[in-house]
Amino acid sequence: MDSARADILAARDHLQQRGWIARRSEAFHHLPPPALDQWLGAQEPQSCEAPALDGSGWTLHPIHNQFGNHASSGIHARWLDALAPAERSELFADLPLPGSDEAAPFAWAHRALCRLGLRLRISATPGKEREPVWLELRHKPRAQAEAPLLVLDVEPGVHCVLIETHERQADACHRQVAQNLYAHVRLGAGAQLQHLRIVSPAGTDSVAHHVHATLAAGAHYAQALVATSSGYHLQRNHVTLEGRGAQARSAALLLAGADKIDLQNYTRIQAAHCASSVQALALAQGRAHVVANAHTYIAAGADEADVHQRLTGVPLAGNPRLILRPHLEILHDNVQAAHGATWGALPEDALFYARQRGLDEASARALIIEGMARALLARCLGNEDNGLLAQWLQGGWLAHAIGAQLQGDAEVQHG
Amino acid sequence: MTQPTPLLQVRDLRVNVGERTVLHSVSLDVQPGQLVVLMGANGSGKSTLGMALAGHPHYSVQGGQALLGGQDLLQLPAHERARAGLFLSFQSPPDVPGVKNNFFIRTALNAMHEARGQEPLDAFDFLASAKKAAKDLGLPEAMLARPVNEGFSGGERKRNELLQLSLLKPRLALLDEIDSGMDVDGVRAVVALVQKLRSEGTAFIVISHYLQMIEQLEPDAVLRLDQGCIAEAGDLELARSIARTGFARARAQAAEA
């Protein structure tokens, strides 16, 4: 038996011995994930006349950056077959083994099912060391059950701007997908990564994305997530600030519609003079069920850590369940930390202001909601005219997604 | 000679805020191009009149009538009152986070255009006219690209209201303490814009305590609101008298008369 096969069997064996995520699990008890079989692809294929999935997995698309040129020469990409022993070994090299935390069964299931991964190394473009490296990474599912892997290394001092998208082509396939994705993001000393993640699964999909980011000294990581709901949708971030002066910002816009999203953010601050900010805005309606969880751990010795958590839930219509859980664990005295959770309706004064200027109620609501979403993302990614956020917003995806959500909202109200 | 039909005709308007009746019975007429100054002590109901006419959901009309150009305002939802030509300049304009000022105003203008069956505005044409209007009002051009009112000073918020007024060109504008927070140049800008729009037929109801501005506005009428009723009607002399003696004395004098 080759080593790849042995590794897969070992992972399966581990799952069989230890079992799946416990119902009592603190992190998962509000929204328990579907059973293990689904994540291993062990279920009988559904009778479905739709064409087979034709997604291509990870694809890389260098994009025009703010200087108007392609900056792809600093991108080193390797697609690796996890069933070939040598490539699997390279793919998983220097990645941590699944631990024993509450989400570990997901990690073991990933090891058992992973077939393909992408390793990306971002270095400075020769002659353009001061310019950021821009790229777009798209993922489209290749199988009904899959476990994609991404390993992204940003070299010391390099500035990278990344758009990562996970979208289903509505007309391509209606098969239900179970996707258990792991991404390992590692920033070298002084590196910067602006990371915009768009995750928009089909309504029946089960999605679990796990992003593990580690930051060396002086590194800056800004992750903005825009996620729509599905039958099961987990976004779990682990961010570890290992080096002095590292900074992490995350903002999550959860367009829950009338379905489910579980956002779990875990931040560990292990060095002095680090800063972390976690924000989430959840918009939900009908019988949606949204959990947004922020847990920040400040280790002993993390002098002058500066930590903020702000979780906001806005029920748009119906009776959605919005569970917001900010949590701080502080093991050092000399730190600043603030956290809060707010549930509330859209701001009435701003809504009336827009209506007094001639906007009908639906347009006023859409304007205010899109504004709140833009403001959240801008606090994370900045608001420069030629910046990442401005470029993405030009495409109109956000306005379209909010429009779709509000259309659902109107159906909830009338139906 | 018969009087022309007023642009705004308010009769016996009674308004509750929550359980409390704030306006007991207010009647007034405003002709096209006319300017009426509304004065009154704090809590007399001045802002309530504006909010009720504009259709704020917290201001509940209990009785009376309000016609704008013969159209029954009170039967219309808030946005249709705006599209009918009613503009309210807010005493405390709210923030609209994440929505750029120029986008907000262009969306409002396009909503008006759509209601009239007109083509939407070209973005470049709009921006050119918005920049010119901002310059005329002393509002830095950069304010157009910032989120509506976010981080604006009190005076900047009021100038931003004026910017919207100058671009939306309503039939009737109700300016609620537009001068508060304004510097002297801002007050000059108010006067200049009001004069310009009046000459084009826009009517105004101006709520203010600032005599110098009221004098410059050359009002057609001055009304004193007291405990939810129009207690006195006069001309500029009434405003001067109130400025000299205060609202308590004015109330006592009116009672003696």
Side-chain angles (χ1 to χ4, degrees):
Chain A
M1 186 188 302
D2 65 44
S3 59
R5 184 81 186 136
D7 193 29
I8 289 166
L9 288 177
R12 283 180 171 269
D13 185 54
H14 188 281
L15 283 164
Q16 212 160 30
Q17 300 287 328
R18 303 286 177 91
W20 185 232
I21 289 168
R23 282 248 156 207
R24 295 185 307 278
S25 158
E26 172 66 21
F28 292 96
H29 79 273
H30 286 292
L31 272 174
L36 173 62
D37 285 355
Q38 193 170 334
W39 303 104
L40 293 176
Q43 285 184 328
E44 288 295 309
Q46 291 183 328
S47 61
C48 173
E49 293 182 3
L53 288 160
D54 58 358
S56 45
W58 294 111
T59 53
L60 194 55
H61 307 262
I63 51 177
H64 284 284
N65 63 21
Q66 60 187 324
F67 304 100
N69 53 13
H70 291 290
S72 56
S73 56
I75 302 167
H76 310 277
R78 293 262 296 154
W79 281 262
L80 296 161
D81 181 352
L83 295 182
E87 292 191 28
R88 184 180 182 91
S89 171
E90 186 180 346
L91 183 60
F92 283 96
D94 65 22
L95 296 185
L97 276 170
S100 56
D101 69 2
E102 290 177 298
F106 269 116
W108 287 109
H110 183 266
R111 289 256 170 177
L113 188 63
C114 182
R115 298 289 178 267
L116 189 70
L118 170 62
R119 286 192 84 114
L120 271 176
R121 175 169 290 279
I122 312 298
S123 53
T125 307
K128 297 178 178 174
E129 284 78 6
R130 289 174 165 268
E131 292 183 15
V133 178
W134 287 60
L135 69 151
E136 182 177 352
L137 200 51
R138 295 181 198 152
H139 188 275
K140 291 204 188 317
R142 292 157 50 96
Q144 281 186 256
E146 62 175 10
L149 176 61
L150 170 70
V151 183
L152 170 63
D153 287 294
V154 183
E155 289 190 345
V158 172
H159 182 179
C160 178
V161 179
L162 168 64
I163 302 178
E164 178 192 340
T165 63
H166 300 263
E167 293 177 68
R168 295 282 301 274
Q169 287 168 312
D171 55 343
C173 173
H174 301 290
R175 290 170 193 266
Q176 185 180 334
V177 166
Q179 185 182 74
N180 180 19
L181 178 148
Y182 273 73
H184 295 268
V185 175
R186 300 178 300 197
L187 305 188
Q192 293 182 41
L193 176 62
Q194 286 183 289
H195 190 183
L196 174 60
R197 305 186 67 240
I198 314 298
V199 186
S200 182
T204 53
D205 289 351
S206 295
V207 171
H209 286 187
H210 310 257
V211 178
H212 290 256
T214 51
L215 281 65
H220 289 198
Y221 180 45
Q223 186 206 96
L225 166 73
V226 181
T228 61
S229 60
S230 66
Y232 177 77
H233 190 161
L234 168 68
Q235 289 290 331
R236 188 173 162 102
N237 285 330
H238 272 268
V239 179
T240 307
L241 287 75
E242 292 181 339
R244 183 184 174 87
Q247 294 185 18
R249 286 196 305 272
S250 82
L253 173 64
L254 308 177
L255 301 172
D259 235 318
K260 295 172 188 162
I261 302 186
D262 186 356
L263 173 71
Q264 301 181 10
N265 262 306
Y266 294 87
T267 308
R268 283 184 73 89
I269 298 183
Q270 298 184 168
H273 299 284
C274 289
S276 152
S277 158
V278 176
Q279 297 187 53
L281 170 62
L283 302 167
Q285 65 213 41
R287 292 178 171 275
H289 192 163
V290 182
V291 181
N293 183 359
H295 183 286
T296 304
Y297 172 90
I298 303 176
D303 204 38
E304 297 199 10
D306 189 356
V307 170
H308 295 264
Q309 297 173 342
R310 187 161 94 184
L311 308 177
T312 305
V314 180
L316 296 173
N319 294 299
R321 281 188 74 193
L322 286 159
I323 297 164
L324 311 176
R325 303 170 71 206
H327 189 82
L328 294 167
E329 195 175 345
I330 303 173
L331 276 67
H332 189 82
D333 284 341
N334 185 22
V335 301
Q336 285 189 54
H339 69 165
T342 310
W343 293 258
L346 293 174
E348 280 188 14
D349 54 351
L351 271 175
F352 179 67
Y353 191 59
R355 297 199 65 203
Q356 210 301 304
R357 296 302 184 249
L359 277 70
D360 62 42
E361 185 165 356
S363 304
R365 280 167 68 84
L367 183 88
I368 303 297
I369 291 169
E370 191 178 337
M372 291 168 75
R374 282 172 177 250
L376 171 88
L377 299 174
R379 284 195 291 273
C380 179
L381 296 176
N383 207 14
E384 296 80 17
D385 282 348
N386 294 317
L388 168 62
L389 184 58
Q391 289 214 7
W392 177 68
L393 287 171
Q394 276 173 8
W397 191 96
L398 182 64
H400 179 76
I402 288 173
Q405 167 130 3
L406 289 175
Q407 199 170 1
D409 169 8
E411 283 161 14
V412 167
Q413 285 178 337
H414 296 133
Chain B
M1 201 168 73
T2 54
Q3 279 280 88
T5 310
L7 174 66
L8 177 71
Q9 207 168 18
V10 179
R11 291 289 173 271
D12 298 324
L13 192 66
R14 191 153 67 90
V15 177
N16 279 15
V17 180
E19 296 295 306
R20 195 165 71 93
T21 301
V22 178
L23 291 187
H24 292 275
S25 175
V26 169
S27 300
L28 60 93
D29 288 348
V30 186
Q31 304 288 346
Q34 240 190 4
L35 189 146
V36 173
V37 167
L38 193 59
M39 301 182 81
N42 296 335
S44 59
K46 305 182 296 296
S47 296
T48 297
L49 176 64
M51 288 296 202
L53 290 177
H56 193 291
H58 290 180
Y59 294 76
S60 162
V61 175
Q62 300 296 303
Q65 190 184 49
L67 304 177
L68 182 69
Q71 202 172 4
D72 187 352
L73 272 185
L74 304 181
Q75 295 302 313
L76 300 176
H79 69 279
E80 287 185 15
R81 298 182 195 198
R83 291 177 184 188
L86 174 67
F87 177 91
L88 173 65
S89 159
F90 287 61
Q91 195 180 113
S92 305
D95 294 1
V96 188
V99 179
K100 285 187 177 176
N101 215 8
N102 54 16
F103 181 75
F104 180 76
I105 302 172
R106 185 157 64 89
T107 305
L109 270 166
N110 281 336
M112 305 285 188
H113 278 227
E114 189 188 335
R116 294 177 202 140
Q118 297 169 339
E119 288 293 307
L121 283 166
D122 176 83
F124 290 105
D125 291 346
F126 164 76
L127 201 57
S129 57
K131 282 179 179 175
K132 184 182 178 309
K135 190 178 173 194
D136 291 346
L137 292 163
L139 195 67
E141 196 179 299
M143 295 283 189
L144 291 170
R146 281 173 49 183
V148 180
N149 294 327
E150 206 172 51
F152 287 21
S153 70
E156 286 168 344
R157 282 170 194 254
K158 295 302 176 74
R159 283 178 199 254
N160 199 33
E161 294 290 275
L162 290 179
L163 175 66
Q164 294 173 42
L165 169 65
S166 74
L167 291 166
L168 289 166
K169 295 188 169 56
R171 298 163 79 192
L172 172 74
L174 204 153
L175 311 184
D176 192 351
E177 298 197 10
I178 188 73
D179 50 277
S180 71
M182 285 270 206
D183 57 25
V184 287
D185 292 336
V187 174
R188 277 197 199 113
V190 174
V191 174
L193 179 62
V194 169
Q195 282 173 346
K196 176 173 174 284
L197 291 178
R198 271 178 91 181
S199 70
E200 295 167 6
T202 300
F204 284 87
I205 298 175
V206 177
I207 296 170
S208 178
H209 302 289
Y210 183 33
L211 180 63
Q212 199 175 341
M213 186 186 78
I214 293 170
E215 287 178 328
Q216 290 175 39
L217 287 173
E218 300 174 0
D220 297 289
V222 176
L223 306 176
R224 183 169 67 82
L225 197 60
D226 186 28
Q227 296 178 47
C229 299
I230 303 288
E232 265 185 291
D235 56 17
L236 200 49
E237 267 315 304
L238 175 59
R240 288 179 179 138
S241 160
I242 290 170
R244 269 196 310 273
T245 62
F247 288 111
R249 184 76 60 87
R251 196 179 299 146
Q253 285 171 346
E256 283 170 17

